[in-house]
Amino acid sequence: MAYEDTKFEVFKQDKEDRPHEAVGTVHAPDEEIALQHARDVFARRPDCHNLWVIAEKDILKRTIQEIDQLIVNDSDAPEQTYLVCVKTGKRRAMTYVKHIGEVTANSHEAALKEALHKFNHKKNVYVWWVFPQTAVTQNDDEDIDILFTPGLQKAYRQPNQYHTVMPMRRIVHEEETA
């Protein structure tokens, strides 16, 4: 049985008063499984208060230069809430995408224009992201203990604490001399 994977962006909120930040991606056939994968991959040991997963197809990402060139067509689509995130760093290893607020618009393009107008005081923004609030799948507040508390009970061990170097050297030496 074949199924189609969708790529989901994962946002993690460490504490209730902190913003959601992009931590990576997962692939899954639907939102609920994506949320479970996100929990398993990104919230196993560190503190986590909330997780969001958003299908990548629902996110519009643009630089300021691209936003300036966007044409916003008059649309009779109903207005909805769009969440606004910004990428403030250039390093590839970390995404540095942080949720900064919300705007109301009737399209992704209009939301980007509104975000730039509303949050234009943000310096060093390399890429602006917007996505409808309805596209977010997140854990429920009553699920926090079930989803994240077990990870707090596990001790995190550095790789050097597993004491495997000497046994591996012995195995390699035995194979070389055999």
Side-chain angles (χ1 to χ4, degrees), residues 5-12 21-28 33-42 51-57 59 61 93 95 97 129:
D5 268 350
T6 301
K7 185 176 180 181
F8 292 88
E9 290 286 346
V10 178
F11 283 76
K12 185 176 126 196
E21 296 179 330
V23 291
T25 61
V26 294
H27 292 262
I33 293 175
L35 188 61
Q36 292 299 318
H37 286 336
R39 190 237 15 217
D40 293 345
V41 174
F42 298 107
L51 284 175
W52 291 349
V53 292
I54 305 101
E56 189 175 55
K57 66 178 178 53
I59 302 172
K61 307 170 186 178
T95 58
V97 177
W129 291 20

Side-chain angles (χ1 to χ4, degrees), residues 8-143:
F8 292 88
E9 290 286 346
V10 178
F11 283 76
K12 185 176 126 196
Q13 182 185 36
D14 291 334
K15 296 185 183 339
E16 192 171 6
D17 61 341
R18 304 287 300 156
H20 284 79
E21 296 179 330
V23 291
T25 61
V26 294
H27 292 262
D30 63 43
E31 298 86 2
E32 293 302 318
I33 293 175
L35 188 61
Q36 292 299 318
H37 286 336
R39 190 237 15 217
D40 293 345
V41 174
F42 298 107
R44 287 180 34 205
R45 289 187 180 89
D47 289 338
C48 185
H49 175 74
N50 189 264
L51 284 175
W52 291 349
V53 292
I54 305 101
E56 189 175 55
K57 66 178 178 53
D58 293 325
I59 302 172
L60 185 59
K61 307 170 186 178
R62 296 288 187 269
T63 64
I64 289 177
Q65 295 81 11
E66 292 170 323
I67 295 171
D68 287 341
Q69 296 173 2
L70 272 180
I71 297 171
V72 178
N73 296 324
D74 290 334
S75 172
D76 54 352
E79 286 194 335
Q80 61 179 321
T81 301
Y82 283 82
L83 302 180
V84 179
C85 301
V86 293
K87 180 176 182 177
T88 56
K90 289 184 179 181
R91 292 177 54 193
R92 281 197 225 179
M94 299 295 288
T95 58
Y96 296 107
V97 177
K98 190 178 292 190
H99 173 241
I100 61 166
E102 58 188 50
V103 295
T104 303
N106 58 8
S107 71
H108 282 80
E109 294 80 10
L112 269 176
K113 291 272 190 179
E114 180 62 28
L116 192 58
H117 180 291
K118 184 175 180 179
F119 302 106
N120 66 356
H121 62 280
K122 297 289 181 189
K123 303 261 189 230
N124 300 325
V125 174
Y126 297 102
V127 181
W128 293 78
W129 291 20
V130 294
F131 45 89
Q133 187 172 18
T134 56
V136 175
T137 301
Q138 64 181 325
N139 60 277
D140 295 323
D141 285 343
E142 59 266 10
D143 293 339

